[in-house]
C-alpha cells in the first residue's frame, strides 16, 4: 500500500476529514501508550531536542554523555547553548543535564514517560517504530505542548487557514507530514513491546576528542 493509500485508509477508518487529523491521531496513540498527557510530532528526534532547548531558552551549559550521536551536540550548539561531554553509562535514554529534557531515541516502551520531563522520541528506520524519519516530544505541560505545536509548524496557529493566519512568533519547518504519521499508525498497531532499548553508551563512539567544535 502506498503512502497516499495508507493515508486515505486511516482517514476513512477513523472517519477523519482532514489529513492533519491523522497526525493528531498518531500523537494521541503514542502519548496514551507511553503515559504522557500530550505528544507533539516533529520530523526527527534531533529537532525535537532542538525545540525543547529553544522553548527553555536559558542558554546554560549542557552536559551530555560523550557516547551519543553527533547530531545531539550539534543541536545543542545551534540552539545557542554550550556543550560539555561527560563519561556516563546509559541505556535507552539519558538526560540533557541540568534540564528535564530526555533523549529517548533508543527507548520506546509502555508507560515509560517520566513525569515533568520533555521526552524526545525517534522514529528513524532503525528504531522500534520505523517510519523512515520522524520524532516526537512527550510532555504533561499544556503550555509547552501548545508552543511546540506552533513552533514546529512555521509559527502557524492551529486550524487556521494560511491566508487568515496572523503570525506572532518565529517558527521552524520541522513538522511530521500526514503521510509519515499514517505509516507511524500502521507500525504502531503492529508493534510488539519487548521493553528493550536499542542503544546505549556502548552503541556510539566517544565524541570527547571533538569538544573543540562545540566551544
Amino acid at each position: 500500500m502506498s503512502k497516499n493509500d495508507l493515508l486515505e485508509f486511516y482517514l476513512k477508518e477513523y472517519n477523519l476529514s482532514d489529513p492533519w487529523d491523522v497526525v493528531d491521531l498518531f500523537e494521541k496513540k503514542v502519548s496514551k501508550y507511553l503515559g504522557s498527557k500530550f505528544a507533539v510530532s516533529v520530523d526527527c528526534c534531533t529537532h525535537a531536542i532542538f525545540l525543547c532547548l529553544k522553548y527553555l531558552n536559558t542558554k546554560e551549559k549542557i552536559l551530555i554523555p560523550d557516547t551519543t550521536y553527533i547530531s545531539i551536540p550539534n543541536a545543542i550548539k545551534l540552539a545557542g547553548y554550550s556543550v560539555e561531554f561527560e563519561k556516563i553509562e546509559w541505556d535507552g535514554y539519558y538526560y540533557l543535564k541540568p534540564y528535564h529534557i530526555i533523549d529517548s531515541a533508543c527507548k520506546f516502551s509502555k508507560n515509560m514517560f517520566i513525569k515533568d520531563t520533555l521526552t524526545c522520541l525517534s522514529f528513524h528506520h532503525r528504531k522500534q517504530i520505523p517510519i523512515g524519519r520522524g520524532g516526537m516530544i512527550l510532555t504533561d505541560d499544556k503550555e509547552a505542548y501548545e508552543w511546540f505545536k506552533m513552533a514546529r509548524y512555521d509559527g502557524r496557529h492551529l486550524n487556521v487557514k494560511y491566508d487568515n493566519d496572523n503570525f506572532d512568533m518565529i517558527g521552524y519547518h520541522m513538522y511530521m507530514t500526514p503521510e509519515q504519521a499514517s505509516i507511524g499508525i500502521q507500525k504502531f498497531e503492529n508493534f510488539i513491546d519487548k521493553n528493550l532499548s536499542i542503544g546505549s553508551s556502548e552503541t556510539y563512539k566517544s565524541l570527547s576528542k571533538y569538544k573543540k567544535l562545540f566551544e
Side-chain angles (χ1 to χ4, degrees):
M1 187 180 295
S2 70
K3 288 183 180 180
N4 289 335
D5 289 341
L6 192 60
L7 176 58
E8 289 299 321
F9 171 79
Y10 284 115
L11 284 168
K12 292 179 181 179
E13 179 75 7
Y14 289 90
N15 194 29
L16 304 174
S17 59
D18 190 317
W20 294 105
D21 291 336
V22 175
V23 177
D24 186 60
L25 176 63
F26 184 37
E27 292 170 346
K28 288 179 178 177
K29 283 180 174 289
V30 170
S31 63
K32 182 178 180 180
Y33 186 80
L34 299 184
S36 64
K37 289 183 180 179
F38 308 106
V40 180
S41 59
V42 291
D43 58 349
C44 66
C45 183
T46 299
H47 286 163
I49 289 171
F50 174 86
L51 290 175
C52 289
L53 293 169
K54 297 300 286 187
Y55 176 71
L56 294 181
N57 194 33
T58 65
K59 303 299 188 291
E60 294 182 18
K61 181 181 291 185
I62 295 180
L63 279 71
I64 58 172
D66 65 329
T67 49
T68 187
Y69 187 59
I70 188 64
S71 72
I72 305 307
N74 286 345
I76 294 170
K77 188 68 175 180
L78 291 171
Y81 294 73
S82 59
V83 182
E84 184 173 322
F85 297 108
E86 65 175 352
K87 291 190 178 298
I88 182 173
E89 292 185 3
W90 61 274
D91 186 20
Y93 71 94
Y94 60 84
Y95 282 84
L96 278 68
K97 299 177 182 178
Y99 302 107
H100 57 294
I101 301 171
I102 295 177
D103 178 355
S104 188
C106 297
K107 181 73 172 177
F108 190 100
S109 61
K110 190 172 180 62
N111 295 324
M112 74 173 201
F113 177 70
I114 300 172
K115 186 178 179 181
D116 297 325
T117 67
L118 299 172
T119 297
C120 300
L121 310 176
S122 174
F123 301 116
H124 183 266
H125 73 274
R126 299 166 90 177
K127 302 299 169 44
Q128 294 97 326
I129 307 292
I131 71 175
R133 179 177 173 87
M136 208 169 280
I137 304 169
L138 306 178
T139 181
D140 282 342
D141 187 332
K142 186 176 181 180
E143 181 179 311
Y145 166 75
E146 292 176 346
W147 187 90
F148 290 134
K149 293 282 273 190
M150 291 181 62
R152 58 98 189 256
Y153 194 33
D154 304 308
R156 292 181 56 182
H157 292 85
L158 302 179
N159 303 316
V160 178
K161 290 186 177 181
Y162 184 76
D163 289 345
N164 298 326
D165 206 349
N166 291 311
F167 310 112
D168 54 18
M169 72 177 290
I170 298 296
Y172 303 89
H173 203 68
M174 297 178 174
Y175 60 86
M176 179 184 290
T177 67
E179 290 82 4
Q180 287 299 106
S182 66
I183 297 173
I185 294 171
Q186 181 189 51
K187 298 288 186 181
F188 177 78
E189 290 178 343
N190 292 286
F191 171 62
I192 299 175
D193 193 341
K194 299 179 181 179
N195 196 28
L196 298 174
S197 68
I198 57 171
S200 69
S201 52
E202 301 297 321
T203 307
Y204 302 92
K205 71 176 184 179
S206 175
L207 300 176
S208 294
K209 68 178 181 179
Y210 305 107
K211 62 183 180 180
K212 287 188 177 181
L213 283 173
F214 305 102
E215 291 178 350

